């Protein structure tokens, strides 16, 4: 067909009269402008990570987003005691192996989570009443789990959530049967199983320097390190609600002074203001020995507590303004 000049002109006039939406930036599978992991590494940190597991990695855009934007993964559930040794001596590493394979194939650091925790603990462990049995059971669990991934895990949460809100010891089978000595037993077994992994104590509600729990953590960790217990780091989980970011820099300054290294390990912020995310980044950036930040999930609706949209990606796997706030805070640090 031969088009006359008039046809062409009137067609183009028609096109330009139709309001054209702003073109979407081409983000591909990244779904975000720039990798927060790469940005944090450029600032001298080791990683910006997230938790995940094989089920999530096989769903939606999770794997693509993690490959493009994060540099570290923590198994959300697959390495816990109930998942790995649900009955005595019978180990199951299916999902944990899948997580480790994803991480090694894609050059992601791993934070192992977790060997000794009162929760997600099978009944056969919590019903043990004598010291010798519990000691052997802990040593065997730690050496089998950590030994399997020896040399592949950057850091392990050797003990998770051992303190109460006042900074004393939470009631658990480990404390009730072995007293404080369970800390030494766990860390010595961990050191023997994977001598190069960084060994952490991890807990929540360590979000203000003056809290009894934060002070208890600092006091105990200093004491244990002085006794030669091989603790490398304190992990502050960082499960926050709006406004709580304000105290995070002070809390991390206090915690990071008590151990060779420290990290924010499970961050999510319900109903976050931009300032909360900026403060979380500052909390780690301000401390030379804070190695990195891990958020507890990719998408809001996959969070363990989805109310208040606590994460960095929305239900369509799009980076939220929270993501860009984190990126800007990293770049400004
Ligand atoms: O996100 C985890 C969720 O899928 C599990 O059901 C839950 C079981 O206790 O554990 C969640 O992760 C927790 C983490 O292992 C330790 N700190 C608190 C986290 C949120 O509960």
């Amino acid at each position: 067909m031969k088009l006359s000049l008039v046809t062409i002109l009137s067609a183009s006039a028609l096109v330009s009269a139709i309001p054209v939406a702003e073109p979407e930036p081409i983000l591909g599978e990244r779904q975000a402008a720039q990798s927060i992991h790469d940005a944090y590494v450029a600032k001298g940190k080791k990683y910006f990570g997230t938790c995940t597991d094989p089920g999530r990695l096989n769903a939606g855009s999770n794997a693509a987003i993690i490959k493009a934007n994060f540099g570290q993964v923590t198994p959300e559930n697959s390495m816990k005691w109930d998942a790995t040794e649900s009955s005595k001596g019978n180990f199951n590493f299916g999902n944990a192996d899948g997580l480790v394979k994803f991480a090694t194939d894609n050059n992601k650091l791993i934070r192992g989570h977790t060997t000794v925790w009162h929760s997600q603990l099978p009944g056969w462990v919590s019903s043990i009443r004598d010291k010798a049995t519990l000691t052997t059971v802990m040593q065997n669990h730690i050496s089998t789990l950590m030994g399997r991934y020896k040399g592949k895990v950057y850091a392990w949460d050797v003990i998770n959530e051992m303190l109460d809100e006042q900074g004393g010891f939470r009631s658990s089978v480990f404390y009730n049967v072995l007293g404080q000595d369970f800390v030494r037993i766990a860390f010595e077994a961990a050191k023997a199983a994977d001598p190069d992994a960084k060994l952490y104590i991890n807990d929540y509600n360590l979000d203000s320097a003056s809290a009894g729990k934060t002070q208890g953590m600092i006091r105990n960790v200093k004491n244990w390190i002085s006794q030669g217990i091989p603790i490398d780091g304190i992990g502050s989980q960082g499960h926050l609600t709006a406004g709580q970011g304000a105290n995070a820099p002070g809390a991390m300054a206090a915690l990071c002074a008590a151990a060779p290294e420290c990290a924010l390990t499970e961050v999510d912020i319900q109903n976050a203001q931009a300032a909360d995310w900026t403060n979380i980044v500052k909390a780690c950036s301000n401390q030379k020995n804070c190695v990195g930040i891990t958020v507890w999930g990719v998408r809001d609706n996959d969070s363990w507590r989805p109310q208040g949209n606590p994460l960095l990606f929305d239900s369509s796997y799009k980076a939220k303004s929270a993501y860009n706030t984190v990126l800007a805070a990293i770049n400004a640090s």
Side-chain angles (χ1 to χ4, degrees), residues 11-323:
S12 65
L14 189 67
V15 167
S16 62
I18 298 170
V20 182
E22 274 290 296
E24 284 280 317
I26 299 165
L27 301 171
E29 293 189 318
R30 173 180 305 287
Q31 300 286 15
Q34 191 191 335
S35 159
I36 45 178
H37 170 71
D38 290 352
Y40 223 16
V41 168
K43 294 293 179 179
K45 297 302 187 188
K46 287 199 184 338
Y47 60 82
F48 202 111
T50 183
C51 74
T52 190
D53 257 332
R56 291 266 188 261
L57 289 169
N58 290 329
S61 302
N62 288 310
I65 286 177
I66 294 171
K67 283 181 200 173
N69 302 292
F70 294 97
Q72 175 271 323
V73 287
T74 303
E76 184 168 10
N77 289 301
S78 66
M79 288 188 186
K80 292 172 179 174
W81 203 313
D82 62 352
T84 52
E85 193 188 8
S86 59
S87 65
K88 189 171 183 176
N90 294 317
F91 285 88
N92 174 355
F93 292 117
N95 282 331
D97 283 357
L99 182 281
V100 171
K101 183 174 178 348
F102 172 84
T104 19
D105 287 353
N106 293 291
N107 199 23
K108 307 298 177 196
L109 294 171
I110 300 168
R111 295 195 79 260
H113 176 83
T114 173
T115 60
V116 173
W117 186 26
H118 67 277
S119 183
Q120 285 180 286
L121 186 67
W124 71 267
V125 183
S126 44
S127 59
I128 295 171
R129 291 290 172 265
D130 74 283
K131 290 189 183 195
T133 308
L134 187 57
T135 301
T136 313
V137 160
M138 281 172 61
Q139 288 169 334
N140 188 49
H141 182 76
I142 292 169
S143 71
T144 308
L145 174 59
M146 288 184 58
R148 184 174 184 88
Y149 305 115
K150 183 179 176 181
K152 294 184 175 169
V153 174
Y154 168 70
W156 270 97
D157 291 330
V158 176
I159 299 184
N160 194 38
E161 301 176 5
M162 74 168 102
L163 299 180
D164 65 23
E165 294 308 299
Q166 289 71 47
F169 285 84
R170 172 199 291 280
S171 168
S172 72
V173 66
F174 306 108
Y175 183 67
N176 298 347
V177 173
L178 295 164
Q180 267 197 45
D181 204 30
F182 88 89
V183 177
R184 181 190 60 78
I185 293 166
F187 276 90
E188 287 181 355
K191 190 73 187 167
D194 190 352
D196 294 331
K198 301 291 184 186
L199 306 180
Y200 273 67
I201 289 183
N202 193 48
D203 218 320
Y204 64 94
N205 284 354
L206 303 175
D207 308 309
S208 108
S210 59
K213 193 169 186 178
T214 309
Q215 291 300 318
M217 176 65 87
I218 292 166
R219 195 171 56 243
N220 281 307
V221 167
K222 281 185 174 167
N223 184 24
W224 290 321
I225 290 176
S226 76
Q227 291 169 25
I229 297 179
I231 299 171
D232 295 300
I234 298 175
S236 173
Q237 294 181 6
H239 296 293
L240 307 182
T241 54
Q244 274 192 295
N247 292 324
M252 285 301 277
L255 291 165
C256 296
E261 64 175 62
C262 54
L264 283 157
T265 54
E266 304 182 11
V267 177
D268 47 29
I269 313 178
Q270 289 182 309
N271 303 303
Q273 306 291 307
D276 290 312
W277 284 109
T278 303
N279 279 321
I280 274 293
V281 171
K282 275 190 189 157
C284 185
S285 297
N286 288 353
Q287 305 309 319
K288 206 168 169 20
N289 63 338
C290 179
V291 292
I293 301 175
T294 307
V295 288
W296 208 238
V298 172
R299 283 200 304 177
D300 286 334
N301 43 322
D302 291 331
S303 166
W304 70 291
R305 45 168 210 175
Q307 312 79 2
N309 299 323
L311 295 171
L312 301 179
F313 288 81
D314 70 15
S315 59
S316 315
Y317 296 100
K318 289 240 160 52
K320 294 162 48 180
S321 63
Y323 184 98

